[in-house]
Each structure stands twice: as C-alpha cells, then as structure tokens.
Amino acid sequence: MKIVFATNNPNKIKEVQAQLPEQFTLLSLADIGCFEDIPETSPTIEGNALQKATYIKENYGYDCFADDTGLEVDGLDGAPGVFSARYAGEQKNADDNMKKLLAELKEKPNRKAQFKTVIALILYGNTQSFTGICKGTILKEKKGDKGFGYDPIFQPEGFDLAFAEMSIEQKNKIGHRGKAVQKLIEYLNKLS
C-alpha cells in the first residue's frame, strides 16, 4: 500500500519509514510532484497537521498523512509551540531556534518541556488523528549530533541522553513522533 507523508523533511521520512511495516511504501511530497510550501496557518498543532493533509488530498488526490510537531516549554508558557520551526524567524534554522530558546530560558528555573506531535490521516474518505507526547527537560547546552530540530537540547524524562545522542530506533521507541506513528501503524494494520 502506498501512502503519502506530506513532508519533504528527509529526517522525518527516515524516522517514519523505519517504523512502518513492509506492506507500506512511503511517498514524500517530492515523489508526488508537490514542491510548493503547504500553508500552516492554524493556531494549533492539530490544525496544522489537518491543514497539510487536506491540502494534499484536495490538490493532488492522494490519501495521505501529515504531522505537525511543537516543543512546549513550561517556563515559556508553552512557547514555542505551534511556532517551533519558525521560532527565530521564517528561515526555519534549527541553530537559530535553539539559541533563541536557550537565551530566553537563561534566567528561568523551570526547564520542563514536552514535544507534541499530531498526525492527521485522510484515508478512504475518513479523517483520523494520532497524538504522541514526550516529556523532558531543556538542557543548558547542546549535546550530540544525531537527529534534527531541537534534539540536541531536549533530554527525555528518565534518560541522561539528549535526543541527538540517541539512535533512530531509541528515539522512535520513546519519542513524540514515534508514539504518534505507532498509533497510526496500529490503525493502518487494522485496515489491512
């Protein structure tokens, strides 16, 4: 079964493909000829995921799923949240985003945070959503060179490693996207 994952982020595709059973072939936006920026104008993570999936279904006709992820930091009242990718500006630069986040947390004692991923699936005319959450702490400096985004400064609860120090397999087991993808896979398995 071929299904479109509405992203051109090769890191996300690699993470999700590593979890999918063999019967599912993942297509990226590039695979279906979609190179435009899909609007993400919803004020919520859930809304952005659904907006992206709906855009692909309406404009390209494919059953698909899309995700949106936000880093929600307690000491910043849930920021950057829905603005995580653009926290330091429209250039969507991970290093700039981390620098800004670390600077804003410098004087804050509460460094608790959570990553939240929502996947919106449009399949056979039905829409479903799946949420994964991973709680943890924002480190004071970057650690590791794996992963992407805020991974070098996020340490999940119960671990002494940052996400950027973990293998894809480790991160998928405990991470926000991994948890949401697992729920998606369980749903897809029931259909096949």
Side-chain angles (χ1 to χ4, degrees):
M1 174 190 206
K2 289 184 178 177
I3 189 160
V4 174
F5 181 12
T7 186
N8 271 324
N9 182 325
N11 294 303
K12 284 185 182 183
I13 290 170
K14 201 184 299 181
E15 276 187 10
V16 173
Q17 187 68 66
Q19 285 183 271
L20 282 178
E22 284 175 15
Q23 70 262 35
F24 297 105
T25 304
L26 209 54
L27 300 175
S28 71
L29 291 176
D31 293 332
I32 63 166
C34 175
F35 298 100
E36 64 263 29
D37 267 344
I38 299 173
E40 294 180 64
T41 55
S42 173
T44 66
I45 292 167
E46 294 82 356
N48 277 338
L50 182 59
Q51 188 176 18
K52 289 188 270 189
T54 302
Y55 183 91
I56 295 305
K57 183 65 177 170
E58 288 177 355
N59 292 282
Y60 291 85
Y62 287 96
D63 283 341
C64 66
F65 66 93
D67 79 321
D68 198 39
T69 297
L71 176 62
E72 302 171 333
V73 181
D74 289 3
L76 301 176
D77 298 322
V82 75
F83 302 107
S84 294
R86 295 173 180 81
Y87 195 45
E90 286 302 316
Q91 74 276 17
K92 295 185 184 179
N93 181 286
D95 283 325
D96 292 347
N97 289 337
M98 284 187 280
K99 279 181 196 151
K100 179 176 178 179
L101 185 70
L102 291 174
E104 290 188 358
L105 275 178
K106 201 169 181 120
E107 304 301 321
K108 308 245 185 218
N110 183 355
R111 299 182 79 85
K112 287 184 180 172
Q114 69 176 22
F115 267 119
K116 177 181 179 181
T117 292
V118 176
I119 293 175
L121 169 71
I122 298 176
L123 186 64
Y124 309 135
N126 296 314
T127 303
Q128 299 284 331
S129 70
F130 311 93
T131 301
I133 289 175
C134 182
K135 294 185 179 297
T137 305
I138 301 299
L139 298 168
K140 293 192 174 175
E141 57 189 38
K142 294 194 248 183
K143 289 170 60 180
D145 57 5
K146 297 182 182 87
F148 60 99
Y150 294 91
D151 287 358
I153 60 169
F154 183 83
Q155 182 174 299
E157 262 180 16
F159 291 83
D160 58 2
L161 298 173
F163 266 162
E165 297 177 291
M166 296 181 171
S167 68
I168 285 180
E169 294 74 26
Q170 270 182 302
K171 185 181 168 190
N172 279 345
K173 274 187 191 148
I174 62 160
H176 47 293
R177 187 170 297 102
K179 289 175 181 177
V181 169
Q182 199 49 53
K183 291 176 185 176
L184 168 70
I185 290 167
E186 286 165 14
Y187 179 80
L188 292 173
N189 281 334
K190 287 180 194 165
L191 300 179
S192 57

